[in-house]
Amino acid sequence: MTDNLTSPTKPDVSATAADGQLPHEPGDAQAAAEVVRRIWAQVLEVDAESIDVHRSDFFEMGGYSLLALQAIGRILTEYGVDEVEAVEWEGELLNRLFDNATPMVQAEFLAEMGCGTPSTGTRSAETSR
């Protein structure tokens, strides 16, 4: 028998707050995709323009698991994700990367969590759930 609880390895992004609102305002996936593209370019040592946010595959571009963790760490730092949330987010970003290794998949999760451009998407302790 299965229950309706969220898997312990994935944050419940569909959950609502007590007032019925989503825990985070949706962010801008396209802006987040540009951040992911820039960070991937740094980590993979390629030109950012060579990365198509919808089609480029992190692993086909020469990435591997340790570089993936480095990229995810930089993304979380870029958005100022606190240490507690970073543990959850890192797992979800890594799972999504192994499912579909495109920048947009990473960006869609970031947008779900309220991120877009770093200046407007930065998460501080005051805005964390």
Side-chain angles (χ1 to χ4, degrees):
M1 179 167 144
T2 59
D3 59 19
N4 291 330
L5 298 176
T6 302
S7 167
T9 61
K10 295 184 179 183
D12 184 3
V13 296
S14 64
T16 56
D19 61 1
Q21 299 296 315
L22 289 174
H24 306 291
E25 290 294 319
D28 180 351
Q30 191 60 46
E34 292 305 317
V35 171
V36 173
R37 179 199 332 229
R38 178 175 45 79
I39 290 171
W40 281 19
Q42 293 168 354
V43 170
L44 296 170
E45 298 180 351
V46 299
D47 182 5
E49 295 303 314
S50 70
I51 300 173
D52 181 316
V53 297
H54 297 284
R55 293 182 184 87
S56 293
D57 183 292
F58 183 82
F59 300 106
E60 289 177 3
M61 296 182 69
Y64 50 90
S65 59
L66 291 176
L67 285 180
L69 289 171
Q70 184 179 25
I72 289 169
R74 288 184 186 191
I75 291 167
L76 297 176
T77 298
E78 181 90 12
Y79 284 108
V81 177
D82 68 41
E83 289 182 36
V84 174
E85 279 188 324
V87 173
E88 292 178 15
W89 291 32
E90 183 179 77
E92 181 63 19
L93 286 166
L94 195 57
N95 286 338
R96 290 185 184 209
L97 186 67
F98 284 119
D99 286 342
N100 183 342
T102 63
M104 188 53 79
V105 170
Q106 302 274 279
E108 287 168 350
F109 171 75
L110 294 167
E112 289 170 16
M113 301 309 288
C115 298
T117 56
S119 60
T120 61
T122 300
R123 302 188 38 83
S124 65
E126 301 88 50
T127 61
S128 297
R129 358 177 214 165

